[in-house]
Amino acid sequence: MKCTVYFLVCILIGVYAELPKIRFEYKYSFKGPHLVQKDRSIPFWEYNGDAIASDDNIRITPSLRSKKGSVWTKSAASFDNWSIEIVFKVTGRGRVGADGLAMWFTEMKGIEGPVFGSNDYWKGLGVFFDSFDNDGQGPHSTHNNPYIMALVNDGTKQYEHQNDGINQQLGGCMRDFRNKPFPVRAKVEYYNKVLTVFFNSGLTNNKDDFELCLRAENVELPKSGYFGVSAATGGLADDHDVLAFLTHSLVPPGQEVKQGVDDAERQKYEKEFEEYYNELEKAKKEYKDQHPGKEGEFGDPEQAYENQADRELRMIFEGQNFIHQTMRELNKRFEELLGRQELVLSKVSQISQGGGVAIPSSGGQGGGFDASQIDTIKRHEVDRVINSQNEIIQEAKFIRNIVNDIQQRANYIQSNLGQGGAQVQQGGGGGGGANPQLQLAMHEVQENLRSVKMDVSSLVNRPQGGAGGNMAGCPVPPPCLSPWMFFIAVALQIIIIIGFMVYKQNKENQAKKFF
């Protein structure tokens, strides 16, 4: 058992020892967002033809006919082994698109040409994503489109367009990369003269869902070359968008990984920094010479900016000041409420003290008062009196509203009856004796309403009993009839009288139609 574990550990150590070391090469990569600068340029890259650079991607060719575009690195890569991951989208409105997209690693920088937007007779590697079927082979053939292939050219071969380079390829696979819901990814690795192409179909959002497309051994590529991407459209057109181009150098085990920048590049950056620093000092000196009285106006430039700690302290201080002001405002409002409460309590205490009756003391000399015999009104008695008064006032208001409503309706009926009587008199004929009867009935109704108003006003203005009187404060109802029964009877009488008058008036109007 121990021998088996030891053997497995040795195998794992050997496998991991053979893996190359990976280093990201930022000068040969690009990725959005913030891809372009203000002058519409891309750092360490240049684009040509119909390519359009935006903040998120580079559109190599738009979906227009006969367009060609490309993007290339400004400097050549000097590492022997590398890994490229390209993220792109090919979208079009038609079922078939054209022409396709290509990823390049060539000894010389490419120019506009007939091979997917780049020149023919290149020297290096080209990985083609062909969208259009030029050879005209049907769906039952071994080679159809969309198709992915890899070609290596030594600068003497011409790309065979008519058969889509089937006789020149190192290998390939038929994969559909058009109109996918997620960006399509392709990973091209060149390590120890072995070329491998992996493909992610873009059907899921899993970035690591790669499958092997092709693998070729003993592939000879230039020691130094330029990376690039190109695309072209023909009679049909697609949008060819490259979202990212990520380059990593692969260092075999045992070799030292190049750290930082080389001496020549370091000297270049130091020289540029020194030039910028000298220009800044020169500009400061010129400003001081031109403005001699403003040397100390701005103070120390280092104090003009605040760091992260000062900014956080300032925000905390401002928040504490706001909380302090809010608390002061709440304290002020609370004091006002306390003052009002004390005022109300003082008024209530005055009322309770004013309702008491002092009784002189029967014993003792000097005519003093015995405090134990003083009879004062209690707090619950005051509350009961106030509640009784409030109930009486509410009932009186309710009765007054009912009476006012009845009076308004009676006035409205009287005005209508008066107009009807006038019309009857103008029409001539009999029936003139009905108007005096109606006026007499309305006069009786008005007299009843006046008596009800007088009763209600006397009920409202009736003084309440003191401490020694009736504490309930309610009027004593008659023994045989309650106020509610009285008002109900009055209302019924008024309704009956009004109904009788309306009925009689209608009968008289109907009788006059026959004259």
Side-chain angles (χ1 to χ4, degrees):
M1 183 66 184
K2 294 182 179 179
C3 296
T4 305
V5 174
Y6 178 76
F7 181 71
L8 293 175
V9 171
C10 292
I11 292 175
L12 292 174
I13 293 173
V15 170
Y16 281 102
E18 293 179 358
L19 293 178
K21 298 178 181 179
I22 302 175
R23 179 187 177 187
F24 179 69
E25 302 292 341
Y26 66 93
K27 290 185 178 181
Y28 308 98
S29 306
F30 65 82
K31 182 181 179 181
H34 312 297
L35 184 60
V36 296
Q37 296 179 340
K38 293 182 179 180
D39 57 353
R40 311 304 300 174
S41 64
I42 303 174
F44 309 109
W45 290 75
E46 59 184 10
Y47 55 94
N48 307 299
D50 297 313
I52 304 171
S54 64
D55 192 52
D56 297 326
N57 56 52
I58 301 176
R59 176 156 291 179
I60 308 299
T61 56
S63 56
L64 300 174
R65 294 180 178 180
S66 302
K67 297 295 181 181
K68 298 177 181 179
S70 62
V71 56
W72 292 86
T73 57
K74 293 182 180 180
S75 60
S78 58
F79 36 85
D80 298 333
N81 305 295
W82 42 263
S83 174
I84 303 296
E85 183 177 353
I86 178 173
V87 184
F88 64 95
K89 295 183 71 175
V90 180
T91 55
R93 292 178 294 177
R95 185 178 62 85
V96 181
D99 280 340
L101 181 138
M103 193 280 293
W104 302 93
F105 177 74
T106 58
E107 187 177 27
M108 300 298 297
K109 194 181 302 183
I111 59 176
E112 186 175 322
V115 184
F116 297 98
S118 187
N119 60 284
D120 205 346
Y121 299 101
W122 72 92
K123 187 176 182 180
L125 172 67
V127 180
F128 302 153
F129 300 86
D130 193 356
S131 303
F132 187 73
D133 190 5
N134 291 297
D135 57 3
Q137 297 184 18
H140 301 289
S141 63
T142 58
H143 177 62
N144 198 11
N145 294 80
Y147 195 80
I148 303 172
M149 70 177 71
L151 276 75
V152 175
N153 197 342
D154 58 0
T156 60
K157 301 176 184 178
Q158 184 180 9
Y159 177 67
E160 299 176 357
H161 286 276
Q162 298 303 322
N163 57 6
D164 291 329
I166 187 174
N167 299 322
Q168 299 173 322
Q169 64 173 345
L170 294 176
C173 60
M174 189 172 63
R175 297 290 186 273
D176 187 9
F177 48 81
R178 296 182 66 250
N179 298 324
K180 298 302 178 182
F182 299 98
V184 177
R185 297 173 180 268
K187 184 182 292 185
V188 183
E189 291 184 357
Y190 180 70
Y191 181 70
N192 291 336
K193 297 183 180 182
V194 177
L195 179 67
T196 310
V197 178
F198 299 93
F199 180 73
N200 186 333
S201 61
L203 295 176
T204 63
N205 199 20
N206 187 4
K207 300 179 180 179
D208 299 326
D209 188 14
F210 285 98
E211 59 178 348
L212 181 63
C213 179
L214 66 94
R215 185 177 186 273
E217 298 181 356
N218 299 323
V219 179
E220 294 288 343
L221 295 181
K223 296 295 182 182
S224 178
Y226 294 85
F227 293 103
V229 181
S230 66
T233 61
L236 301 175
D238 285 333
D239 286 324
H240 298 86
D241 299 329
V242 179
L243 284 68
F245 191 96
L246 307 177
T247 304
H248 293 82
S249 61
L250 305 178
V251 181
Q255 295 184 9
E256 295 182 359
V257 181
K258 189 177 179 181
Q259 300 291 340
V261 296
D262 54 7
D263 295 337
E265 195 170 2
R266 183 183 295 105
Q267 292 177 2
K268 177 184 176 182
Y269 291 151
E270 290 178 355
K271 184 178 179 181
E272 291 180 357
F273 175 76
E274 187 175 356
E275 290 177 356
Y276 289 140
Y277 183 77
N278 293 333
E279 291 179 0
L280 179 62
E281 293 294 331
K282 184 179 178 180
K284 290 169 64 176
K285 184 177 180 181
E286 291 179 356
Y287 180 82
K288 290 180 180 180
D289 295 339
Q290 295 176 2
H291 305 83
K294 296 184 179 181
E295 294 182 358
E297 181 178 355
F298 300 101
D300 188 4
E302 299 296 335
Q303 302 295 330
Y305 303 95
E306 59 180 0
N307 53 20
Q308 184 68 20
D310 295 339
R311 188 180 299 108
E312 292 178 355
L313 288 175
R314 178 175 55 81
M315 294 175 65
I316 293 172
F317 181 72
E318 291 177 354
Q320 289 180 348
N321 286 337
F322 178 76
I323 294 172
H324 181 66
Q325 293 178 0
T326 305
M327 293 298 294
R328 292 181 59 183
E329 186 68 21
L330 291 175
N331 189 19
K332 183 178 178 181
R333 297 292 178 85
F334 185 69
E335 290 178 354
E336 291 179 358
L337 291 175
L338 288 178
R340 293 179 180 179
Q341 185 178 5
E342 292 178 356
L343 180 61
V344 172
L345 291 176
S346 63
K347 294 293 184 181
V348 172
S349 62
Q350 290 177 3
I351 294 173
S352 62
Q353 291 176 4
V357 179
I359 301 175
S361 177
S362 59
Q365 297 179 357
F369 292 94
D370 188 1
S372 62
Q373 297 181 359
I374 296 177
D375 187 13
T376 59
I377 190 171
K378 305 299 181 181
R379 179 61 181 271
H380 67 277
E381 296 177 348
V382 175
D383 295 338
R384 187 170 60 184
V385 171
I386 294 174
N387 293 333
S388 301
Q389 291 179 351
N390 292 332
E391 291 176 359
I392 293 172
I393 292 172
Q394 291 178 0
E395 292 178 358
K397 289 181 179 179
F398 179 74
I399 295 171
R400 183 179 297 173
N401 293 331
I402 294 175
V403 172
N404 290 333
D405 188 23
I406 295 172
Q407 184 177 5
Q408 290 178 1
R409 293 182 182 182
N411 292 333
Y412 178 76
I413 294 171
Q414 183 180 5
S415 62
N416 292 335
L417 291 176
Q419 293 177 0
Q423 293 176 359
V424 171
Q425 291 177 1
Q426 290 176 3
N435 192 15
Q437 294 178 359
L438 292 175
Q439 290 180 357
L440 181 61
M442 292 303 303
H443 181 70
E444 292 177 357
V445 171
Q446 290 180 357
E447 291 293 332
N448 292 329
L449 290 175
R450 290 192 185 94
S451 63
V452 171
K453 280 187 177 181
M454 292 176 64
D455 294 335
V456 171
S457 61
S458 63
L459 180 63
V460 173
N461 297 325
R462 182 177 179 179
Q464 301 297 323
N470 185 16
M471 298 305 298
C474 297
V476 179
C480 60
L481 184 64
S482 63
W484 286 107
M485 295 297 295
F486 171 77
F487 288 116
I488 291 172
V490 172
L492 290 174
Q493 291 178 2
I494 294 172
I495 292 171
I496 293 171
I497 294 172
I498 293 172
F500 175 76
M501 291 188 293
V502 172
Y503 175 78
K504 189 174 182 179
Q505 184 67 28
N506 291 332
K507 288 294 184 179
E508 292 177 355
N509 292 333
Q510 291 178 1
K512 290 183 181 294
K513 292 181 181 180
F514 298 100
F515 293 96

